[in-house]
Amino acid sequence: MAAPPEDLAAHYRAQGYWIDETFADFVADRTTRFAGRTALVGVDAHGRPHRLTYAALADAASVASARLGAAGVVPGDRVVLALPNVIELVVVVLGCFRMGVVPVFAQPAHREHELSQFCAIADAAAVVVSGDTDGHDQLALVERVAADLRGRGLVPPAVIDVQGWSGSPGPPDTPGGQVRTSAGAGSVALLQLSGGTTGVAKLIPRTHADYLYSVRASAEICGLDEESVLLVVLPAAHNFAMSSPGILGALHTGGTVVLARDPSPRTSFRLIADERVTLTSLVPPLAQAWISSARRRMPDLSSLEVIQVGGARLSDAVATEIGPVLGARVQQVFGMAEGLVNYTRLDDPDELALTTQGRPISPDDEIRVVDPDSPDEAEVAPGAEGALLTRGPYTIRGYYGVETDAFTADGFYRTGDLVRRLPTGHLVVTGRVKDQINRGGEKVATEEIEGPLLAHPEVLDAVALGLPDPYLGERICVVVRTEREERAGQELARELADHLRAAGLATYKLPDQFEFLDTFPVTPVGKNSRRELRQLLVTRLQES
Ligand code: OOB
């Protein structure tokens, strides 16, 4: 978690990127400044609709702080949030901020494998869930997490169920005003999750100063103001939905946040028409789903000005359809929870807006495009493909509590993405060097799937690959070598899927496809060659 050297830090302050405002100040200031305006529209954990002004949101956040306090949470503690897109999510985030508690932004799709790791790494004081989420029993889930932690000699977190909140008044000692904390703007405000490249989760420490800078600058680039209405379709805690410009960007400018409880075009189109939504953010598969649905239904999307698409590579073909079919300008967003976010600008010519993934937020985002095979990470020729390294005022220089080789000695983050940089500074994402699958924007470290599979008695070897998929961009294919060749096929595939589920893996990490091979191609040093395996499968599937 290295801080930058003092000269860089002084530069970031002198440029006005890092200011003294903390998220506690942010909540107090914006909820007062915009008190009477509509802040948040959505349903609660019981599915009941709500519409909160900034003043009402401040009150709700204050009650949430008190409830966290009643569960034993104190300023400086970490609290894991695993909530769906319900208003309590925003309320609890602000409740954490106003009392100096550090939220850990998990997803409702995470299961015991992930939640146990987050709780352990963050030494979480509490975990916040919504009892029954889309038919999944979150309380039973956190009980299993607690048992796992106890088994490892750790103290399990307090469980806070927002479904249990409704109707009951806040604790009697609900503090009215802002809770004063001593933490400064340079301290850790929140922990985001890394997409990961190993079987062990990594948490991303974002400070008040760095995250708020990215929020302010993003809001400006995306043209947000008091009249903006943002529809949140993606999981709200994800960095894209939270800060690019996201929920925090809209609250920063006095706009309105509308939460979609489910990502279906039907729900989103209704909300867009009813709430006169101006901006939303999608991953490429959702953009495709919207396009095909809009062609059939002719929804009223007339209020929509901008549709952001990011999280995974948007094809030029789909980018070209967004304007004509959905009637809004496309803005490509290539970001990462570790920091760097690139946007195509709203006044970019189509040629850039439709075919690049944007340019960095900050003039002080430093970009290096290097030869991934060169031991000294030499920069490639201008315009050539290479691995992206970055350093800047809102990019981390280390993960929370672990040493990794993801950072260079001079503090650049090795993103693991392959890019080309155009003379305008725009980046085109061309591939990846990290062992990660990007399934329609959801990131899966191959090791997370391979690890549990290798522990299965009938598996001799297993490799997880991202195969090209017309809808998801990449789908998860696991190639397995088994001793019991007679069992290779559907039956064993089902058993292995059950095995992964029992290992407590998030649902989106479960393989879309299993393939069985007798031998795996290897590299000259004898390691499995992912590249050749992928090639082999692509050819095999094309032929079948
Ligand atoms: C966003 O953040 P993460 O942390 O879930 O994932 C980051 C990774 C990037 O390193 C890259 O591999 C991939 O996701 N990615 C894209 C992309 N946007 C992200 N790959 C190609 N084209 C794009 N437009 O995904 C994220 C964070 C903030 C804003 C937007 C996305």
Side-chain angles (χ1 to χ4, degrees), residues 193-195 204 238-241 243-244 309-314 332-341 343 357 413 415-417 429 431-432 434 436 438 441 443:
L193 308 183
S194 165
I204 298 171
H238 186 267
N239 201 57
F240 190 7
S243 69
S244 305
V309 187
R313 179 68 153 88
L314 178 64
Q332 300 212 35
V333 188
F334 163 39
M336 51 208 73
E338 282 82 356
L340 181 71
V341 182
Y343 295 100
Q357 282 61 61
Y413 167 55
T415 67
D417 294 311
V429 183
R432 198 181 312 132
K434 53 190 170 189
Q436 190 183 78
N438 188 336
K443 318 301 179 327

Side-chain angles (χ1 to χ4, degrees), residues 470-482:
Y471 179 63
L472 293 167
E474 288 176 53
R475 65 176 185 276
I476 304 174
C477 172
V478 173
V479 198
V480 175
R481 205 153 61 76
T482 170

Side-chain angles (χ1 to χ4, degrees), residues 159-184:
V159 176
I160 299 175
D161 174 13
V162 298
Q163 269 186 349
W165 282 5
S166 246
S168 70
D173 58 344
T174 303
Q178 185 191 340
V179 181
R180 286 268 153 233
T181 64
S182 54

Side-chain angles (χ1 to χ4, degrees), residues 194-202 338 399 404-406 413-417 432-437 443-450 530:
S194 165
T197 53
T198 63
V200 182
K202 286 201 271 319
E338 282 82 356
Y399 287 105
T404 72
D405 57 7
Y413 167 55
R414 298 188 175 100
T415 67
D417 294 311
R432 198 181 312 132
V433 285
K434 53 190 170 189
D435 288 334
Q436 190 183 78
I437 300 169
K443 318 301 179 327
V444 187
T446 54
E447 208 179 291
E448 286 181 285
I449 304 175
E450 292 161 358
R530 288 177 186 279

Side-chain angles (χ1 to χ4, degrees), residues 359-441:
R359 62 181 171 84
I361 288 180
S362 177
D364 278 295
D365 280 320
E366 297 172 71
I367 299 291
R368 273 192 209 154
V369 183
V370 307
D371 177 354
D373 298 322
S374 117
D376 55 354
E377 299 182 307
E379 292 205 34
V380 297
E385 180 188 76
L388 170 67
L389 313 187
T390 186
R391 179 171 81 169
Y394 59 98
T395 296
I396 57 162
R397 291 174 150 256
Y399 287 105
Y400 186 79
V402 283
E403 291 291 317
T404 72
D405 57 7
F407 301 88
T408 65
D410 54 353
F412 278 74
Y413 167 55
R414 298 188 175 100
T415 67
D417 294 311
L418 287 174
V419 299
R420 282 189 303 112
R421 182 167 41 168
L422 308 185
T424 54
H426 288 69
L427 301 173
V428 177
V429 183
T430 53
R432 198 181 312 132
V433 285
K434 53 190 170 189
D435 288 334
Q436 190 183 78
I437 300 169
N438 188 336
R439 186 181 188 275

